[in-house]
Amino acid sequence: MIFPTEFEEKLGFDQIRDRLKNYCLSPLGIKLVDQMSFSADFVTVQSRLKQNLEFKLILEKGDQFPATHYADPDEYLKTAAVEDSFLEEEAFYTILTSLQTILAVKQYLATNLELYPELYSLTHQVVVSKSLLQQIESKFDDKGQLQDNASSELAKIRKRIREEQLRVKRLTEQVFRQAVDQGWVPEGATATIRDGRLVIPIMTQHKRRLPGLIMDESATGQTVFMEPLDVLEANNEIRDLIHAERREIIKILRELTNLLRIHLHELTPAYQFLAIIDFTRARAKFSLDIGAELPTVKPTPDLNWLHARHPLLYLSLKGKREVVPLTIDLTSASPFLLISGPNAGGKSVCLKTVGLIQYMVQCGLLVPLHDKSTVGLFKNIFLDIGDQQSIENDLSTYSSHLKNMAFFLHHSNQHTLVLLDELGAGTDPNFGGGIAESILDGLVRRNAWGVATTHYYNLKLFASNHNSIRNGAMLFDSKKLAPLFQLEIGKPGSSFALEIARKTGLPYETIQRAEKIIGQELTGLESLMKSVAEEKQSLEKRQKEIKAQEEKLSETLSRYEVLSFELTTKKKEILDKAKTEASNLLKETNREIEKTIRHIRENKAEKKETRKVRDGLQDLIQKVKPNVIVSETDVTLEVGDYVRLIGQEVSGKVLSINDKSALVQFGDLRSQVKLKQLVRSDKAIVHPTFAKAKSFGIDVMSKQSTFVSTLDIRGKRVEEVNALLDQFVDDALLLGQAELKILHGKGEGVLRKVVRERLKTIKGVASFADEHVERGGAGITVVVLK
């Protein structure tokens, strides 16, 4: 049972219905939105929610689900049910395309049976006769018109119509040319159509000269439109043929209608299926809008909600600010929640959120909760909110509230959810608070579940002393005097009335007088509640900071452990490799020494043989001698010398020397470099590749100093690109470059295509790809060389 009758309007569910209707593709779905109702049946609710979830998954995947030609042929089917009736071409085409959609949806769900079992189960009722569909398809073209071959007689008639129309056109053109030659036709005028007949424009003064029938005249009366006498007979023949065509079309449509009438019993469930699909699609689109999920649903009352958001508030604030989520936990041991706090602090929104989300679930809609939440089903939901004043029934607002309370107390039980806004308000606080406490006690004794909002201290105290009721507070920032819209369960909330009064600018003496009237005891309690709330907020903030620091420390420790493990592993690998190499070297050395000793003994230390052996040992010494890099910094550098960085190939020119450093020009770049890091280029060990290049007269050092690893070809002609690209890659390969970049821009992609086709033919290229999207993307090609 739902109470009152205006339940949906008071909670805003009527707005959700309107949004769902906007998402429907046809009147079929809109009808089901209007029929959507509250259900306490667990199987029904669970099935609706699963359908909603599965269609939401379809939309999230972006599959090409059939979403056209959703039509409601109800009126057409009613007409077809009447004996000897027939449907027009438009009606048949609507039925044809919608039946094709039904079969396409059925096929899609059958193909994806494992993903969408709940939706697929709906297809069991759908049976569409293939012979019926083939018969209709064979008669109509893509524009919904009967084809010429719909019957042999129709084909003959339409052929004759075309022939006669061609004859009329020839005759008219012949007469028109004659009239033009005689000067009877207004300058620039052409033959035209009037009342479906081809006519010739003739100036009024010449109308007696052309035998024929006047069909119309111009607005000025200076021109008449005449059907020549020679054409009149042919046009009459065409009109007779058109009537014959219509009679044949009706005959064909009547035959198709008779066939359709036989299958009406199949079409009704088929279109019910299409309606459910349209309705479910609308629910799924709304679910995506509000970020809805499927919580755990239980057949009995339960309410353990995580991150609950009011769906309409979420939509209205979307893109502006975040909605503060609510966490609400009610159990069979404590099924009632009493919320207190300042005005405009979110108490009523919290109550409406509970009512709206619970109602949505039991109407089969996914809800904006965390999917780990639990939602139980209630048989009754009672709501008392807003102004209940009734002039017709001579009831004040408070009297209306009391009338609702009487109804609640008479009908509430353990399967009822009661929602009470500002319980006890609207009358003398002393009496109103007492009546409200009694009502609350009565509801709890009846094991009702519920949420109530209040400002009354006696109710907060009652909840604190009663196990079945839990206090809840809407938090408030006392420093900024602004609501936080956060619900905290476990303690009552302060109204912050005095603080808000100060903020509004009430005089100081007025505030002091109010405190005396309220009394020290009540003021002290209010202050104590406020300080407890502030301390708890401060503690929670500190806990969050500590938690964040612990997470950061844990992450750093994890990174350290990973790095330590990798270093240990690499160290072990290096040592193992060094030991293996040393062992092999020692074995080789021992073999050579033994061989030498044996050779000397066998040849009795002859000088020639001894020298030969010594030379062999000297080679061995050079082989096992460690590679020591000798610094060339003892060579004095002067301004104008060409130098390079030790261990590098790039060469530059010394511009100036200052104590222990020098200013060096590397291509277009000037850099201050320490002298000990430089060596004269003529003292440098020349790379074998460079030496070979020099033997062919190529100045590698010069190329190295001026080479840039990015080639910009924007604005170049296509015929210039290949030569530039070949030279660029050749230089890069000569200088031992590993990676290049070619800047060609995006545009129409012509240069990009030319570059990549050319790169495929160059042997030195290992691979190429687009640059990272943040650094140029498809406008730059990154080339990796072998």
Side-chain angles (χ1 to χ4, degrees):
M1 183 194 307
I2 297 298
F3 182 91
T5 53
E6 307 87 4
F7 181 92
E8 292 190 3
E9 290 78 8
K10 289 181 178 293
L11 285 182
F13 191 79
D14 56 329
Q15 298 177 46
I16 292 177
R17 283 191 192 270
D18 290 340
R19 287 179 178 271
L20 291 174
K21 289 177 183 179
N22 290 334
Y23 283 131
C24 288
L25 298 171
S26 72
L28 290 170
I30 292 174
K31 285 180 184 177
L32 291 189
V33 172
D34 287 330
Q35 294 170 12
M36 177 175 56
S37 61
F38 173 87
S39 174
D41 181 70
F42 177 72
V43 175
T44 301
V45 171
Q46 190 79 338
S47 176
R48 290 174 180 173
L49 290 172
K50 286 181 178 178
Q51 291 170 12
N52 193 342
L53 178 64
E54 289 178 2
F55 216 113
K56 176 171 168 272
L57 294 175
I58 291 173
L59 297 178
E60 287 174 337
K61 284 180 64 180
D63 282 358
Q64 295 298 315
F65 188 87
T68 57
H69 302 300
Y70 281 62
D72 182 5
D74 187 55
E75 292 301 321
Y76 299 149
L77 298 184
K78 287 179 181 177
T79 301
V82 178
E83 287 292 334
D84 204 34
S85 63
F86 68 91
L87 300 178
E88 292 291 349
E89 291 172 276
E90 180 185 353
F92 266 111
Y93 191 65
T94 299
I95 292 171
L96 171 62
T97 52
S98 56
L99 287 177
Q100 289 171 337
T101 297
I102 291 170
L103 291 179
V105 171
K106 184 178 180 181
Q107 179 61 40
Y108 176 90
L109 295 176
T111 305
N112 299 277
L113 167 61
E114 295 182 358
L115 293 174
Y116 315 118
E118 195 69 31
L119 289 174
Y120 175 72
S121 65
L122 298 173
T123 65
H124 299 329
Q125 63 177 340
V126 180
V127 179
V128 177
S129 170
K130 289 185 178 180
S131 62
L132 170 65
L133 203 59
Q134 289 170 356
Q135 281 284 341
I136 300 175
E137 285 176 339
S138 66
K139 304 293 184 183
F140 289 88
D141 60 20
D142 294 338
K143 295 179 181 179
Q145 303 296 318
L146 278 174
Q147 299 184 84
D148 291 356
N149 61 1
S151 73
S152 58
E153 184 61 25
L154 184 62
K156 290 178 183 177
I157 293 171
R158 286 184 174 175
K159 182 181 178 183
R160 286 192 60 197
I161 289 174
R162 287 192 292 269
E163 290 171 350
E164 289 299 322
Q165 286 174 339
L166 186 61
R167 188 163 73 90
V168 165
K169 184 179 179 182
R170 284 198 302 267
L171 287 171
T172 304
E173 288 175 350
Q174 182 181 349
V175 175
F176 180 74
R177 284 194 298 271
Q178 292 174 358
V180 170
D181 293 340
Q182 295 294 328
W184 301 341
V185 177
E187 186 175 353
T190 60
T192 185
I193 302 290
R194 287 292 187 273
D195 294 333
R197 301 169 85 95
L198 198 58
V199 294
I200 296 172
I202 300 292
M203 288 184 286
T204 305
Q205 62 268 32
H206 301 300
K207 63 183 179 181
R208 303 293 182 189
R209 300 183 179 184
L210 179 68
L213 182 66
I214 297 175
M215 302 296 294
D216 198 2
E217 69 175 6
S218 65
T220 61
Q222 295 180 358
T223 304
V224 295
F225 298 93
M226 300 184 65
E227 183 180 25
L229 198 59
D230 295 341
V231 179
L232 182 62
E233 184 181 347
N235 272 332
N236 288 336
E237 179 65 22
I238 290 174
R239 189 173 292 273
D240 289 341
L241 289 170
I242 289 173
H243 289 318
E245 178 191 31
R246 177 60 184 166
R247 288 192 296 272
E248 183 62 22
I249 287 174
I250 291 174
K251 177 183 175 184
I252 297 169
L253 293 176
R254 184 171 278 112
E255 290 173 355
L256 286 176
T257 304
N258 293 337
L259 180 63
L260 185 67
R261 191 177 299 117
I262 299 172
H263 295 279
L264 285 179
H265 66 285
E266 298 175 2
L267 300 183
T268 301
Y271 281 103
Q272 288 174 349
F273 165 74
L274 190 63
I276 293 172
I277 292 297
D278 190 12
F279 174 49
T280 307
R281 176 185 174 276
R283 288 186 289 153
K285 290 187 75 67
F286 180 70
S287 299
L288 289 176
D289 277 353
I290 62 173
E293 300 288 347
L294 174 63
T296 300
V297 180
K298 290 187 176 180
T300 54
D302 199 349
L303 205 154
N304 181 10
W305 296 358
L306 306 174
H307 304 300
R309 301 184 307 276
H310 191 290
L312 298 176
L313 183 62
Y314 172 79
L315 289 174
S316 66
L317 295 179
K318 205 170 187 179
K320 300 175 184 176
R321 63 181 178 88
E322 292 291 325
V323 174
V324 179
L326 303 171
T327 295
I328 305 173
D329 181 21
L330 300 181
T331 64
S332 56
S334 301
F336 225 100
L337 177 65
L338 182 70
I339 303 174
S340 51
N343 287 321
K347 300 188 300 297
S348 296
V349 171
C350 180
L351 180 136
K352 287 183 176 181
T353 300
V354 173
L356 190 55
I357 288 179
Q358 185 66 46
Y359 192 72
M360 285 173 65
V361 168
Q362 296 195 231
C363 286
L365 296 172
L366 299 182
V367 285
L369 295 176
H370 193 283
D371 58 5
K372 299 298 182 184
S373 302
T374 301
V375 180
L377 301 187
F378 293 91
K379 293 182 179 178
N380 310 307
I381 302 180
F382 298 155
L383 173 68
D384 181 72
I385 189 171
D387 187 356
Q388 305 288 329
Q389 185 170 288
S390 173
I391 296 175
E392 293 82 1
N393 297 322
D394 195 23
L395 291 174
S396 68
T397 298
Y398 186 66
S399 299
S400 295
H401 283 305
L402 289 181
K403 188 176 180 181
N404 289 344
M405 296 304 108
F407 180 88
F408 295 172
L409 290 170
H410 281 109
H411 295 89
S412 292
N413 54 37
Q414 70 272 24
H415 298 291
T416 302
L417 177 65
V418 180
L419 305 170
L420 310 169
D421 190 34
E422 298 294 351
L423 179 59
T427 190
D428 185 314
N430 293 318
F431 291 95
I435 294 172
E437 184 176 329
S438 178
I439 290 170
L440 197 57
D441 181 61
L443 291 171
V444 169
R445 288 178 182 278
R446 288 165 175 76
N447 298 316
W449 296 58
V451 177
T453 67
T454 189
H455 286 286
Y456 289 158
Y457 275 98
N458 68 305
L459 295 183
K460 300 176 189 177
L461 185 62
F462 176 77
S464 299
N465 296 327
H466 205 296
N467 292 332
S468 296
I469 307 178
R470 301 171 71 189
N471 269 307
M474 298 307 299
L475 300 184
F476 191 81
D477 189 331
S478 58
K479 294 180 180 178
K480 297 180 181 178
L481 292 179
L484 299 175
F485 305 109
Q486 296 175 4
L487 173 64
E488 183 181 276
I489 296 179
K491 71 176 185 64
S494 169
S495 64
F496 289 91
L498 292 173
E499 286 76 5
I500 294 172
R502 290 190 184 95
K503 183 182 179 183
T504 58
L506 281 178
Y508 176 73
E509 59 273 13
T510 304
I511 301 294
Q512 277 192 319
R513 175 67 178 156
E515 288 179 342
K516 289 180 181 179
I517 294 172
I518 294 168
Q520 289 293 328
E521 184 178 343
L522 198 55
T523 306
L525 177 60
E526 183 79 13
S527 299
L528 179 62
M529 290 172 60
K530 183 181 72 171
S531 62
V532 169
E534 289 175 352
E535 288 176 7
K536 185 163 185 180
Q537 288 179 35
S538 177
L539 180 60
E540 287 178 349
K541 183 179 179 182
R542 182 60 183 156
Q543 285 176 336
K544 288 180 180 178
E545 291 174 353
I546 292 172
K547 185 178 179 181
Q549 290 175 354
E550 287 178 348
E551 289 175 352
K552 187 176 180 181
L553 179 62
S554 176
E555 183 182 349
T556 303
L557 183 60
S558 298
R559 279 205 309 269
Y560 168 77
E561 289 175 350
V562 170
L563 288 172
S564 177
F565 175 76
E566 289 178 353
L567 286 173
T568 303
T569 304
K570 288 181 179 179
K571 180 180 177 182
K572 184 176 182 302
E573 290 175 355
I574 291 169
L575 287 174
D576 288 346
K577 184 178 179 182
K579 286 178 182 179
T580 302
E581 290 178 352
S583 175
N584 293 336
L585 188 59
L586 185 59
K587 289 177 182 179
E588 184 180 353
T589 304
N590 285 335
R591 282 198 302 271
E592 288 296 327
I593 292 172
E594 291 293 334
K595 180 181 176 182
T596 301
I597 293 171
R598 186 170 63 253
H599 193 80
I600 291 172
R601 286 176 178 172
E602 289 175 356
N603 291 279
K604 297 180 181 180
E606 291 183 8
K607 288 184 179 181
K608 184 177 178 181
E609 290 299 324
T610 301
R611 189 180 298 109
K612 184 178 179 181
V613 170
R614 282 178 179 171
D615 292 342
L617 285 174
Q618 197 65 32
D619 292 341
L620 179 61
I621 289 169
Q622 291 297 325
K623 183 177 181 181
V624 300
K625 183 179 179 180
N627 293 321
V628 180
I629 299 173
V630 181
S631 174
E632 298 289 344
T633 55
D634 56 333
V635 178
T636 303
L637 298 177
E638 295 178 359
V639 174
D641 284 348
Y642 281 88
V643 296
R644 68 171 177 80
L645 290 167
I646 295 175
Q648 302 293 327
E649 300 293 347
V650 179
S651 179
K653 185 178 181 180
V654 177
L655 300 179
S656 65
I657 299 175
N658 182 17
D659 196 10
K660 296 182 179 181
S661 63
L663 181 64
V664 184
Q665 177 90 32
F666 294 100
D668 295 330
L669 177 69
R670 291 186 179 188
S671 179
Q672 197 78 25
V673 186
K674 292 180 180 180
L675 289 173
K676 64 181 181 180
Q677 295 177 327
L678 297 172
V679 62
R680 264 206 347 239
S681 295
D682 58 340
K683 295 293 183 181
I685 299 172
V686 182
H687 190 281
T689 303
F690 288 9
K692 187 174 181 180
K694 194 170 183 180
S695 67
F696 287 98
I698 300 173
D699 188 355
V700 178
M701 289 299 179
S702 176
K703 284 184 177 291
Q704 182 74 40
S705 64
T706 59
F707 184 82
V708 180
S709 61
T710 299
L711 176 63
D712 188 350
I713 60 171
R714 291 175 298 178
K716 301 291 184 183
R717 296 194 301 273
V718 172
E719 53 267 29
E720 295 177 298
V721 171
N722 286 341
L724 288 172
L725 191 59
D726 289 347
Q727 184 63 51
F728 179 57
V729 176
D730 287 345
D731 289 347
L733 291 170
L734 176 65
L735 299 175
Q737 297 291 321
E739 184 179 280
L740 305 174
K741 292 182 181 179
I742 302 168
L743 177 58
H744 43 65
K746 296 179 181 177
E748 296 180 358
V750 176
L751 286 180
R752 179 176 180 270
K753 183 178 180 182
V754 170
V755 166
R756 298 198 170 194
E757 290 296 327
R758 190 64 176 179
L759 289 174
K760 290 177 184 178
T761 66
I762 299 175
K763 293 183 179 179
V765 174
S767 65
F768 53 86
D770 286 344
E771 174 63 285
H772 189 278
V773 67
E774 294 182 358
R775 296 191 290 274
I780 298 174
T781 296
V782 179
V783 183
V784 178
L785 302 178
K786 295 180 180 178

